[in-house]
Amino acid sequence: MRIREKRTLLVGLVVMTVVGVNGCSAHSDDGHAVAVWRNLLSVTNPDYRVVQSGGARGFGSRDGWTTIEPRRPAPSSGSEYGGWSTRLDDVEDAADVSRNLSGWSLTAALVKLGADPLQDEDARQEARRVLRSLGPSVRSEVVVGLREPLSEPEVVKLIGRTPDVLLFSTGPNGKPLSWDGSKYCDSRGFDAWCSSGAEPSLTKEFETWISLLGPGDEKSLTAFGLNLDELKTLPGQGVHGFVLSGWPADLLPIFDDPQVMSFSVADIAVDG
């Protein structure tokens, strides 16, 4: 299978394009398949950020060029985070990329959440100790598991804002299936919220993407080990956990909430 990579610093120009009257539109047919592959990469790999190269409508959306980088606590400003650009020519390219992504600390935390969600007290206190030891200029990235599935508004109430990534049930590669908040309008192959200017609902974006899938996408879903009928049930099952980045003072109060089952510090990044 072909994976053509161009490891380079990618600078995206975000173009806020207004489309339609209801704030939701799909690409034309020539871009639909690429958008499906790109989203499947993202949904099955919450440990990586996946967006179209350039991050804006009309640039890289239909030709398959896609930016992939480890999901660090702070936005990447260059290739030091290991990001790269690769062209997705067919679904096997996309599936190969997914299979060959390197695991790292966030990957381990996500897989553990799916395989062994119960956290012993020693591990929990170690996570608390790590956060308390960090200075105020250090951002952390944490993986939080919930005792019972919650709706997105309940998660927002718990932490005071929308998390970086919502985690649903565990996928075929051991990581939770997910939806993240892309900062680029239309980088997912549809404009679910940019036209309205409203704060996006990650669950609603996920549901919108699923609604755009059809019988012609079965080959792509199968290549990633997914089934459309099962995928449609995920948003209604609630959020099982989330990935969140922030300062220690913002993250520590989450420990004591009775709805939180597990809490892992996956990565840290010094600001500036």
Side-chain angles (χ1 to χ4, degrees), residues 116-174:
D116 185 20
L118 293 176
Q119 184 179 39
D120 62 54
E121 188 60 24
D122 288 343
R124 190 179 183 91
Q125 292 306 319
E126 175 63 15
R128 188 194 296 266
R129 185 196 66 77
V130 168
L131 280 185
R132 284 177 169 170
S133 71
L134 299 177
S137 63
V138 178
R139 287 179 64 86
S140 299
E141 187 168 56
V142 299
V143 176
V144 178
L146 299 169
R147 295 190 183 279
E148 300 290 341
L150 299 177
S151 67
E152 182 177 345
E154 290 172 322
V155 172
V156 171
K157 183 179 179 180
L158 167 63
I159 63 177
R161 62 183 173 94
T162 301
D164 303 338
V165 189
L166 295 183
L167 303 176
F168 300 95
S169 63
T170 302
N173 61 4

Side-chain angles (χ1 to χ4, degrees), residues 24 33 39 73 76-77 87 89 141 234 240 257 262:
C24 180
N39 276 295
S76 172
S77 59
R87 179 166 173 167
D89 287 325
E141 187 168 56
L234 291 184
H240 292 252
D257 194 288
S262 63

Side-chain angles (χ1 to χ4, degrees), residues 7 29 43 50 66 70 75 80 85 109 146 157 171 176-177 190 194-195 204 217 219 224 237 247 255-256 264 266 269:
R7 295 183 180 276
D29 290 344
V43 165
V50 181
T66 298
E80 72 273 14
S85 179
L146 299 169
K157 183 179 179 180
L177 298 177
F190 63 92
C194 293
S195 296
K204 188 64 178 178
D217 300 310
K219 180 180 178 181
F224 279 81
Q237 295 176 18
W247 314 113
F255 270 99
D256 299 320
S264 302

Side-chain angles (χ1 to χ4, degrees), residues 24-46:
C24 180
S25 61
H27 278 320
S28 58
D29 290 344
D30 61 344
H32 176 84
V34 172
V36 170
W37 306 335
R38 190 177 287 130
N39 276 295
L40 285 170
L41 267 171
S42 180
V43 165
T44 56
N45 296 288

Side-chain angles (χ1 to χ4, degrees), residues 211-229:
S211 74
L212 297 175
L213 299 172
D217 300 310
E218 289 176 354
K219 180 180 178 181
S220 296
L221 290 166
T222 299
F224 279 81
L226 299 178
N227 173 276
L228 181 55
D229 288 337

